[in-house]
């Protein structure tokens, strides 16, 4: 692949870990200048240090003030912003009856209101650049797989994506989302600690026979943010190894076929 993002400025939230860190590396590998934003500034720094032209920003996307300060850093350094990737998320891993107000509000604040605030504050820059918004949603926003607050936020993020696409398409802005299935990242560490076999168990549900990798999301993300996708907006690309295409485990159970 050529260098599709030469000279572009890309801001990735939650870029200190997992999918976001890989996205930052892959954008940088194709010539982009990177704003590596994470609420954990140390992690952001570790990722940014390894990139040719990057700034680490410690910020909580749920805070409008911190989002404004983060954008001020980007403007000061490069005076442009071409791509915003809404990737940061929290996920309260508790059953519906046990979700507290704090957990519910936190997931909504980070996973849905964060992107709303960031894109609203960055809109002048994105319109000037005829830029792109990419939001990392989840299969949880398309079918119920637990995590009620997270799932509601991710469904909302896909609606926000359509709204941005329709409202600002005539000014050259594109907005798309990706809905990944299970991607092996540190987000799974807590569940792995509870059940060391959880990833093997999850694999059985995937028609392609393996779980996802951050690069699977990055391949789709770079395409959607590139000129190759210049007539694609308002859509959600499902990147899930076939999970939502059908129900492999149920099919096996009721037909005894794999
Ligand atoms: N890993 C999966 O199985 C999976 C599946 C579907 C969707 N996703 C989505 O992909 C994205 C990345 O997930 P991941 O697995 O790489 O997670 P991760 O936990 O490895 O990384 C998330 C990063 O976001 C940061 N973050 C959390 N709250 C923040 C805030 N308020 N402001 C700024 N940064 C914040 C964290 O510090 C962390 O570095 C998330 O949106 C997640 O919902 C992941």
């Amino acid at each position: 692949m050529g260098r599709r993002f030469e000279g572009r400025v890309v801001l990735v939230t939650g870029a200190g870990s997992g999918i976001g860190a890989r996205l930052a590396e892959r954008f940088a590998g194709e010539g982009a200048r990177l704003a590596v934003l994470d609420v954990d500034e140390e992690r952001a720094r570790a990722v940014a240090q390894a990139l040719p032209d990057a700034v680490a920003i410690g910020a909580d996307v749920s805070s409008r003030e911190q989002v404004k300060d983060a954008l001020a850093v980007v403007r000061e350094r490069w005076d442009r912003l071409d791509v915003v990737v809404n990737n940061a998320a929290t996920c309260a891993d508790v059953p519906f009856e046990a979700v507290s107000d704090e957990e519910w509000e936190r997931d909504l604040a980070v996973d849905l209101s964060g992107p709303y605030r960031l894109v609203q504050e960055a809109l002048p820059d994105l319109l000037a650049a005829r830029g792109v918004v990419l939001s990392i949603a989840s299969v949880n926003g398309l079918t119920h797989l637990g995590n009620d607050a997270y799932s509601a936020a991710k469904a909302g993020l896909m609606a926000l994506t359509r709204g941005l696409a329709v409202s600002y398409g005539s000014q050259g802005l594109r907005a798309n989302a990706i809905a990944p299935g299970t991607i092996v990242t540190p987000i799974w560490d807590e569940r792995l600690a509870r059940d060391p076999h959880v990833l093997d168990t999850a694999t059985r549900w995937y028609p392609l026979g393996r779980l996802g990798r951050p690069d699977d999301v990055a391949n789709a993300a770079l395409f959607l943010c590139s000129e190759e996708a210049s007539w694609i907006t308002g859509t959600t690309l499902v990147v899930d190894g076939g999970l939502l295409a059908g129900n492999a485990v149920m099919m096996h159970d009721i037909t005894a076929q794999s």
Side-chain angles (χ1 to χ4, degrees):
M1 203 59 73
R3 286 166 66 85
R4 292 174 287 185
F5 299 95
E6 203 70 64
R8 302 278 159 84
V9 174
V10 178
L11 185 156
V12 181
T13 70
S17 174
I19 293 167
R22 192 63 190 137
L23 286 174
E25 290 162 6
R26 291 282 305 274
F27 274 111
E30 293 204 29
R33 300 175 278 183
L34 259 299
V36 178
L37 184 152
D38 204 288
V39 70
D40 186 328
E41 194 169 352
E42 282 309 304
R43 285 188 195 167
R45 221 173 266 142
V47 171
Q49 262 166 14
L51 306 180
D53 189 0
V55 64
I57 302 174
D60 181 338
V61 295
S62 69
S63 154
R64 188 175 288 272
E65 281 315 304
Q66 292 186 37
V67 162
K68 279 185 178 177
D69 291 348
L71 290 170
V73 171
V74 174
R75 289 175 189 132
E76 166 84 32
R77 181 156 172 152
W78 293 299
D79 198 24
R80 66 182 290 165
L81 180 57
D82 298 274
V83 178
V84 165
V85 183
N86 292 307
N87 169 78
T90 57
C91 179
D93 209 5
V94 281
F96 175 76
E97 69 275 11
V99 180
S100 67
D101 280 355
E102 289 70 27
E103 288 166 329
W104 182 272
E105 299 299 345
R106 182 81 193 140
D107 281 0
L108 269 290
V110 176
D111 305 0
L112 177 57
S113 306
Y116 142 69
R117 292 198 181 90
L118 176 57
V119 174
Q120 195 179 56
E121 291 293 338
L123 202 55
D125 313 76
L126 289 170
L127 291 178
R130 300 179 72 81
V132 181
V133 175
L134 178 69
S135 294
I136 308 301
S138 171
V139 289
N140 286 58
L142 295 166
T143 193
H144 184 70
L145 297 163
N147 310 112
D148 298 79
Y150 174 82
S151 302
K154 294 297 192 181
L157 191 52
M158 290 184 249
L160 178 65
T161 297
R162 291 189 289 270
L164 293 171
V166 172
S167 298
Y168 301 106
S170 66
Q171 294 176 67
L173 181 84
R174 293 189 302 109
N176 290 297
I178 291 176
T182 304
I183 309 291
V184 182
T185 72
I187 217 173
W188 284 86
D189 289 353
E190 219 180 291
R191 286 189 191 166
L192 269 170
R194 286 201 303 265
D195 172 8
H197 304 295
V198 65
L199 293 178
D200 296 330
T201 309
T203 303
R204 295 190 311 128
W205 293 86
Y206 283 84
L208 285 178
R210 69 166 174 87
L211 300 182
R213 308 175 184 118
D215 272 319
D216 293 316
V217 178
N219 291 334
L222 268 66
F223 163 68
L224 286 173
C225 293
S226 76
E227 278 303 304
E228 291 160 17
S230 62
W231 210 53
I232 302 177
T233 196
T235 197
T236 296
L237 181 58
V238 176
V239 177
D240 74 343
L243 179 72
L244 295 187
N247 193 320
V249 173
M250 178 182 176
M251 190 176 84
H252 178 263
D253 283 357
I254 66 176
T255 65
Q257 291 168 2
S258 56

